[in-house]
């Protein structure tokens, strides 16, 4: 038996792009559920969901999932419906890296190295035994009320992405759901995956098997040159997220979700489950401060919003939690050495040049 390397991040408590919640909203829309229902208590608005650079805490996605499940009522195949909505394009630069990977073996390796650029909650392990490749998902560390849903959603998301990569899709030769599933759920899953089985023994999980003959077959859009570029971009993005201390990373996510209200420190501390004093101390231990994080998040998002050319300086100021545009302009100049207008013009000037290159 041969195993791939362990995932670079062995847990689900990592910041993730807000576009993942956008998938939940789209799935809800297909069921007639309004976006506001799914986003209740999440701290995001519909306009935030298309911003791939906006990071949210995993707890925000879990809240959206709970809202979706409650509103959807009893739907045996809800996890399959949601999971199948994840496509390669959902995963941003990671999806681009997977699309340009030469073989399925490379896809698996790329996924495990940059697992924290995905939306997975389950633990994942991949092993090969003879002519079998086993993908095992575990839910032992997941919230009890969502454990089964998250494991099954993740499995169907993997199935969907493999369908985008392999012409005609990649059939699973065997699928076993651990921890038991209801008969209606298994029947609904079987319509999508083919024969499935359930075992009531062990923890909630899922194992999917496919033929090892697929591993080294060239993928239609694989390119060693393109994947090298994509991998570098993934590495840079992952490094940026991983080098931040755990408290500052979570604080940045919480700040981002509260910018339109000014992101007051007591509110962010409350989301992290600590007092403002404790948050201040822990950030100091990581070599930063709350004001520095707030400034960094505001400048980073300001550059991205200004670069679109779609928002006025006044609109950007409001989205970043400033009472008026003049306060934003003053702060931006102090932190960057230039004005928002000049930064916007410079960014739009660079973009066409980069495209021509």
């Amino acid at each position: 038996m041969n195993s791939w390397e362990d995932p670079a991040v062995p847990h689900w408590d990592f910041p993730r792009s807000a576009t993942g919640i956008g998938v939940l909203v789209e799935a809800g829309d297909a069921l007639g559920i309004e976006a506001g229902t799914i986003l209740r208590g999440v701290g995001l608005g519909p306009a935030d969901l298309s911003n791939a650079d906006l990071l949210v805490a995993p707890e925000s996605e879990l809240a959206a999932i709970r809202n979706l499940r409650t509103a959807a009522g009893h739907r045996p195949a809800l996890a399959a419906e949601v999971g199948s909505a994840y496509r390669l394009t959902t995963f941003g630069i990671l999806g681009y890296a997977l699309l340009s990977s030469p073989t399925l073996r490379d896809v698996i390796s790329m996924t495990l190295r940059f697992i924290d650029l995905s939306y997975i909650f389950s633990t994942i392990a991949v092993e090969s035994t003879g002519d079998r490749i086993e993908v095992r998902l575990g839910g032992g560390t997941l919230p009890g009320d969502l454990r089964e849903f998250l494991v099954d959603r993740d499995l169907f998301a993997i199935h969907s992405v493999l369908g985008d990569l392999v012409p005609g899709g990649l059939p699973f030769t065997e699928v076993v759901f651990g921890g038991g599933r209801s008969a209606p759920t298994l029947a609904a899953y079987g319509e999508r995956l083919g024969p499935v089985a359930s075992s009531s023994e062990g923890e909630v999980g899922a194992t999917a098997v496919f033929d090892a003959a697929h591993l080294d077959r060239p993928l239609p859009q694989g390119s060693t040159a393109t994947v090298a570029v994509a991998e570098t971009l993934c590495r840079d993005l992952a490094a940026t997220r991983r080098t931040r201390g755990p408290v500052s990373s979570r604080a940045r996510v919480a700040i981002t979700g509260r910018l339109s209200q000014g992101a007051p420190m007591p509110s962010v501390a409350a989301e992290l489950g600590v007092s403002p004093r404790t948050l201040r101390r822990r950030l100091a231990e990581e070599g930063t401060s709350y004001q520095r994080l707030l400034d960094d998040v505001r400048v980073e998002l300001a550059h991205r919003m200004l670069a679109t050319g779609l928002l006025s300086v006044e609109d950007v100021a409001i989205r970043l939690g400033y009472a008026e545009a003049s306060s934003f302009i003053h702060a931006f100049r102090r932190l960057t050495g230039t004005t928002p207008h000049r930064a916007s013009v410079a960014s739009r000037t660079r973009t066409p040049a980069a495209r021509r290159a």
Side-chain angles (χ1 to χ4, degrees), residues 59 250 254 258 265-276 278-279 282:
E59 291 80 7
R250 295 183 65 200
R258 286 166 170 71
M265 185 175 182
S267 174
V268 170
E271 176 169 329
L272 300 184
V274 299
S275 67
T278 298
L279 176 57
R282 290 184 178 175

Side-chain angles (χ1 to χ4, degrees), residues 181-195:
R181 299 293 187 277
S182 69
T185 294
L186 287 176
Y189 288 177
E191 292 177 1
R192 295 169 179 264
L193 299 176

Side-chain angles (χ1 to χ4, degrees), residues 299-313:
V299 168
E300 183 177 324
L301 293 180
H303 276 298
R304 290 170 181 166
M305 286 188 276
L306 292 168
T308 67
L310 301 176
L311 298 173
S312 67
V313 171

Side-chain angles (χ1 to χ4, degrees), residues 43-233:
L44 298 174
D48 297 315
L49 305 181
S50 60
N51 183 356
D53 295 320
L54 176 60
L55 297 181
V56 299
E59 291 80 7
S60 296
E61 186 169 344
L62 293 177
I65 290 172
R66 289 189 175 97
N67 291 340
L68 173 60
R69 293 186 70 205
T70 298
H74 179 65
R75 294 185 66 87
L78 182 61
E81 293 170 322
V82 174
S84 297
Y86 289 83
R87 310 303 296 267
L88 271 176
T89 53
T90 310
F91 296 88
I93 188 57
L94 176 60
Y96 180 52
L98 300 182
L99 181 64
S100 54
S101 293
T103 67
L104 197 55
R105 185 186 300 274
D106 298 312
V107 166
I108 295 171
S109 181
M110 186 78 69
T111 300
L112 295 174
R113 288 205 305 277
F114 302 113
I115 194 72
D116 48 330
L117 301 185
S118 74
Y119 307 98
I120 195 168
F121 277 92
S122 311
T123 59
I124 183 171
V126 184
E127 295 184 347
S128 63
T129 305
D131 61 354
R132 293 163 49 95
I133 304 299
E134 296 185 4
V135 180
R136 296 201 308 273
L137 302 179
T141 64
L142 301 175
D145 62 320
L146 295 179
R147 189 169 294 150
E148 181 178 308
F149 177 90
L150 290 170
V151 167
D152 296 358
R153 182 207 69 165
D154 290 345
L155 177 66
F156 279 95
I158 291 171
H159 184 257
S160 178
V161 168
L162 289 173
D164 287 340
L165 288 169
V166 180
L170 181 67
F172 290 149
T173 58
E174 179 183 337
V175 179
V176 178
F177 293 95
R181 299 293 187 277
S182 69
T185 294
L186 287 176
Y189 288 177
E191 292 177 1
R192 295 169 179 264
L193 299 176
V196 299
S198 176
S199 170
S200 59
E201 298 180 357
E203 67 176 30
V204 172
T207 299
V209 179
F210 64 88
D211 194 325
H214 293 281
L215 269 184
D216 295 308
R217 290 175 180 168
L219 294 176
Q221 298 193 59
S223 166
T224 54
T226 304
V227 76
V229 174
E231 183 176 357
T232 298
L233 294 173

